[in-house]
Amino acid sequence: MTLSHTDQPWPTTGISFGGDYNPEQWDPSVWREDVALMRQAGVNMVSLGIFSWGLLETAEGVYDWAWFDEIVELLGENGIAIDLATPTAAPPSWLLAEHPEFPPVDHDMTQHWPGARLGWCPSNPDFRTHALRIVRAVAERYGSREHVVMWHVSNELGGGNGHCYCDVSAAAFRTWLEKKYGTVEKLNEAWGTAFWGHYYRSFKHILPPRGNDSKNPSLMLDFDRFSSDELLDHYLAERALLKEITPDLPVTTNFMVGAEPDAVDYARWAPHMDILANDHYTRSPDPVPQQDVAFSGDRMRSLTTDRRPWLLMEHSTSAVNWQPRNRAKNPGELIRDAISHVAHGSDGVMYFQWRASRAGAEQFHSGMVPHAGPDTKIFREVTALGGHLQRLAPVLGSRVPAAKVGILFDNEAGWAIRRGVKPNNFLPYGAAVRAWHAAFWRRGDGVDVLPPWNDYAGYDTLVVPQLFLVADDTAKRAEEFVAMGGTLIVTPFSGIVDENDQVRLGGYPGAFRDVLGVWTEEFYPLQEGETFRLDNGWNGREWTEHVHVAGADVIARYEGGPLDGEPAVTVRAHLGGGRAVYVSAGIDGDAIENLVAGLIEPDRGPVSDKIPGLEVGIRETDSDEFVFLINHGADDAELGIRGAELLTGRTVEDSLVVPAGDVRVVHRRKAA
Ligand code: GAL
């Protein structure tokens, strides 16, 4: 698949700054204070109307536009652009009362109740009709307003209705399968339905993977693919209507790209977005939340082949409300997180939400204006950030340069690991990918986290962490990458099954066995708390396997235990300087760092000083460079650099101090 991207101008003239704005929760007298504070903070865009359907359409085809007209007007008068939402994420109560069949049904056949959001089955054609009615009404009324600059379709599609197992979905699943396989024989072959004699005589006999008992993994994987496609189809239906009414306005929807396999397959959705948008929230406890910010940006940017800027559509000024214990951000963290996202390629900083809610399910979620009002740490930092972003205007449209290290990430592989029973059911996909990303991030190496079908040319190193499911084409291109002189690193439980989720025979990891010059006879998963040790001092947990070398050299062997003396980490040298490294054991983070240090020269990066805790990022145009210096450490960092520091407006002659916890951005011209 080739990822293309429409050539779309950015919706705001500077870096976008603002957040979800839900004025319907407040008296109109508060709206005047809102816009005054927005101007004070430098807000230039808000996402409006995301959850307003129930207040805009009071009965079928009956609309109350007056309040929305007023707020649209008020924002326009104050020079604030609108990222206008189609409000389909939250259907009105009257609609759900009339259609009790709309809410999604879980795998155990319990139906969701109204009262939350995304409470609708994506395959239901009647729901689609109602949704498109409100989309049309909103688009026809407001789409031509000059300060409506972008469409925000629904909200986090899949976050609540990622899978629906109802009868309507079951019928749609059968249609999807028929289209994919053509004949039921082909499906039987792909799913291996001879097992337990589940052979299907007709598409009519197929059901979604309902219930709690063990199901065919190939069926479950196709159901995950189908579910993502159904939601994409909903997005595309809204998009087509919006394009019919306002052909020139960019259309997006907010992704939830983090380190776990996503609800839907974002890499396959990306070509349908005019501007890619992401919602990212740090979690606690997270040993390195800053790395999670970097990881999500490194993934977002690599969803397009031209690495164009994306938009941080939501994150939080301080605590979220959906964790068991919700940590408030420390002073300075709001600005550091926000500018880290910009360093990783976002051309905007948007929050959930403008004003912290007084009522409703999210009343204890932070906002840009907290419950205590504007005379607060949060609002002061929001205002300071607004000033910083204005000073960063020259960064708009610049790109993060291509990295030398690529890490493959695929939702299908993550889904296939998560569903069904495995030799060790405690191998979270996201944690494995993040562990490898962390090793490079700590050294200051630029990393792209890319879908397996992207081009590998230009990378020196390609990491394949726990990519359980691998297509033949990916395996072939990984071989070509090594033949061209690249370093390939494959980690445990990669290349095990094909695209149908059937095991590749002849020894694991089937897809990479030849290029790695090894074959694994048997897995030896460990028990909780059990560890292993290798003869070079590395330790690890969760996973070991009995590897045979067939052309590879051994880097480290097991010491003790049932695999004593057997190979654990190997490298196969290829003609032309290429290397294929197999890390067959679940080695700890410091062992990963050690291995990386022994194999790969660190990225020289844009500055010569490597200071612990100082993250250095770069964005560039043909003529200019913007060096982002983000000090996550507790001490001030001093480094040698020259250029114009954008946030303080000072010229840096030879050295710059980045205060502890703070950020600086140095603009310099590239040598001609
Ligand atoms: C997002 C969602 C927002 C808000 C936020 C709270 O997932 O899109 O509407 O609920 O979480 O963190």
Side-chain angles (χ1 to χ4, degrees):
M1 189 187 316
T2 328
L3 288 179
S4 67
H5 216 85
T6 47
D7 210 358
Q8 192 69 56
W10 198 251
T12 50
T13 41
I15 304 267
S16 309
F17 179 47
D20 285 15
Y21 182 35
N22 300 307
E24 62 274 25
Q25 296 175 12
W26 302 96
D27 185 84
S29 60
V30 179
W31 303 354
R32 323 264 154 222
E33 192 197 10
D34 283 339
V35 287
L37 291 175
M38 284 179 193
R39 289 175 64 137
Q40 186 182 328
V43 165
N44 59 8
M45 181 166 83
V46 292
S47 304
L48 188 71
I50 299 179
F51 303 111
S52 301
W53 188 356
L55 299 168
L56 290 174
E57 191 179 13
T58 54
E60 185 167 335
V62 180
Y63 300 100
D64 176 8
W65 298 120
W67 70 275
F68 210 71
D69 286 353
E70 194 180 331
I71 195 77
V72 167
E73 210 55 47
L74 187 64
L75 289 166
E77 282 163 10
N78 283 277
I80 296 162
I82 301 177
D83 166 36
L84 188 55
T86 65
T88 54
S93 309
W94 59 261
L95 183 63
L96 294 177
E98 282 170 20
H99 289 278
E101 76 283 11
F102 280 175
V105 170
D106 283 338
H107 65 98
D108 59 0
M109 297 307 279
T110 50
Q111 191 172 26
H112 292 205
W113 287 93
R117 54 187 165 166
L118 289 157
W120 43 272
C121 160
S123 303
N124 191 302
D126 296 335
F127 175 75
R128 181 80 58 90
T129 305
H130 288 283
L132 294 183
R133 185 181 59 250
I134 187 68
V135 173
R136 176 177 288 283
V138 169
E140 285 179 345
R141 192 167 183 94
Y142 301 106
S144 60
R145 299 301 303 265
E146 208 181 321
H147 64 299
V148 171
V149 292
M150 178 158 72
W151 289 114
H152 179 298
V153 168
S154 207
N155 192 64
E156 293 188 344
L157 291 164
N161 61 352
H163 296 91
C164 175
Y165 296 76
C166 75
D167 289 340
V168 174
S169 298
F173 183 41
R174 289 189 279 267
T175 306
W176 184 92
L177 290 169
E178 218 166 329
K179 201 163 151 216
K180 174 168 180 180
Y181 292 106
T183 65
V184 79
E185 286 73 28
K186 287 219 172 87
L187 175 142
N188 279 310
E189 203 179 304
W191 289 8
T193 55
F195 185 79
W196 285 344
H198 282 166
Y199 192 88
Y200 294 103
R201 306 284 158 188
S202 159
F203 282 105
K204 286 196 210 109
H205 302 155
I206 300 172
L207 285 170
R210 291 173 176 162
N212 292 314
D213 39 10
S214 213
K215 292 284 176 327
N216 183 326
S218 312
L219 155 69
M220 292 193 283
L221 178 61
D222 266 345
F223 190 67
D224 285 334
R225 290 172 170 143
F226 154 80
S227 301
S228 176
D229 282 359
E230 289 297 273
L231 281 156
L232 177 61
D233 199 62
H234 178 94
Y235 165 82
L236 290 174
E238 287 203 26
R239 179 187 162 91
L241 181 53
L242 295 168
K243 287 287 177 191
E244 176 197 315
I245 299 165
T246 54
D248 298 330
L249 277 191
V251 181
T252 192
T253 189
N254 42 347
F255 289 3
M256 296 176 273
V257 162
E260 282 311 315
D262 310 300
V264 299
D265 200 339
Y266 291 127
R268 290 174 173 87
W269 284 38
H272 306 288
M273 307 293 139
D274 294 322
I275 286 171
L276 286 173
N278 195 34
D279 297 350
H280 182 268
Y281 291 91
T282 50
R283 287 153 199 271
S284 34
D286 181 331
V288 207
Q290 305 89 340
Q291 184 235 335
D292 198 45
V293 170
F295 182 88
S296 70
D298 292 345
R299 241 190 100 193
M300 279 306 288
R301 200 176 57 239
S302 315
L303 291 175
T304 57
T305 45
D306 65 358
R307 328 169 56 72
R308 72 179 49 199
W310 50 278
L311 174 62
L312 177 67
M313 187 64 94
E314 285 182 27
H315 73 312
S316 66
T317 56
S318 190
V320 298
N321 72 324
W322 38 262
Q323 301 204 149
R325 293 180 181 84
N326 296 288
R327 187 182 74 82
K329 290 195 178 177
N330 294 324
E333 201 174 338
L334 178 157
I335 291 178
R336 218 163 55 242
D337 279 358
I339 295 193
S340 296
H341 284 290
V342 177
H344 287 273
S346 178
D347 266 357
V349 174
M350 308 281 289
Y351 287 95
F352 175 84
Q353 60 181 331
W354 167 251
R355 195 180 270 279
S357 302
R358 190 173 178 198
E362 300 188 303
Q363 61 188 160
F364 295 111
H365 195 291
S366 59
M368 297 169 82
V369 183
H371 290 153
D375 188 11
T376 46
K377 169 201 89 173
I378 290 184
F379 191 70
R380 278 189 289 277
E381 289 200 13
V382 162
T383 307
L385 175 65
H388 281 346
L389 295 177
Q390 282 171 3
R391 290 183 280 273
L392 289 182
V395 170
L396 193 82
S398 62
R399 314 265 156 121
V400 176
K404 291 285 167 219
V405 178
I407 298 183
L408 300 190
F409 184 100
D410 186 22
N411 274 306
E412 290 191 351
W415 293 340
I417 286 180
R418 193 166 49 180
R419 295 267 214 168
V421 284
K422 297 293 181 299
N424 179 340
N425 292 296
F426 296 90
L427 293 179
Y429 179 55
V433 183
R434 252 191 82 178
W436 283 85
H437 180 271
F440 292 100
W441 180 79
R442 284 214 177 82
R443 303 191 330 157
D445 293 354
V447 185
D448 291 342
V449 182
L450 60 145
W453 55 83
N454 271 20
D455 196 354
Y456 305 154
Y459 295 110
D460 291 345
T461 305
L462 196 64
V463 186
V464 183
Q466 213 173 291
L467 197 71
F468 174 66
L469 178 149
V470 170
D472 291 350
D473 178 60
T474 303
K476 190 168 135 265
R477 289 188 311 112
E479 278 178 22
E480 287 163 6
F481 172 77
V482 176
M484 298 297 289
T487 297
L488 177 75
I489 303 176
V490 177
T491 89
F493 220 39
S494 295
I496 306 297
V497 298
D498 64 16
E499 280 170 294
N500 293 324
D501 215 343
Q502 295 205 21
V503 172
R504 292 175 175 276
L505 302 179
Y508 317 115
F512 301 113
R513 198 173 51 221
D514 292 344
V515 70
L516 294 169
V518 298
W519 64 278
T520 288
E521 181 175 335
E522 195 174 3
F523 299 136
Y524 280 70
L526 302 189
Q527 297 301 309
E528 192 180 357
E530 219 180 323
T531 56
F532 64 81
R533 185 177 166 76
L534 305 185
D535 61 1
N536 62 353
W538 295 348
N539 298 302
R541 58 202 74 239
E542 294 294 356
W543 191 265
T544 58
E545 45 187 75
H546 184 188
V547 176
H548 297 273
V549 290
D553 298 321
V554 178
I555 294 178
R557 294 179 184 273
Y558 292 102
E559 203 173 71
L563 296 172
D564 187 34
E566 299 290 349
V569 182
T570 61
V571 58
R572 180 177 194 179
H574 286 252
L575 290 176
R579 295 176 294 182
V581 178
Y582 188 40
V583 183
S584 76
I587 55 173
D588 290 342
D590 49 357
I592 294 178
E593 281 179 33
N594 215 277
L595 173 69
V596 166
L599 282 172
I600 300 150
E601 282 290 304
D603 199 341
R604 281 185 44 244
V607 294
S608 48
D609 302 307
K610 294 270 182 213
I611 300 171
L614 184 76
E615 183 176 353
V616 182
I618 190 152
R619 293 188 53 169
E620 62 177 9
T621 64
D622 289 344
S623 54
D624 295 73
E625 274 184 343
F626 303 95
V627 183
F628 286 75
L629 302 157
I630 306 160
N631 189 352
H632 301 296
D635 299 317
D636 294 356
E638 184 168 3
L639 74 159
I641 192 165
R642 292 166 68 93
E645 202 293 305
L646 294 177
L647 304 185
T648 56
R650 298 214 183 99
T651 303
V652 183
E653 299 293 356
D654 48 16
S655 88
L656 173 72
V657 174
V658 185
D662 212 340
V663 185
R664 294 290 181 264
V665 183
V666 175
H667 178 194
R668 57 191 191 189
R669 295 237 164 240
K670 284 183 174 171

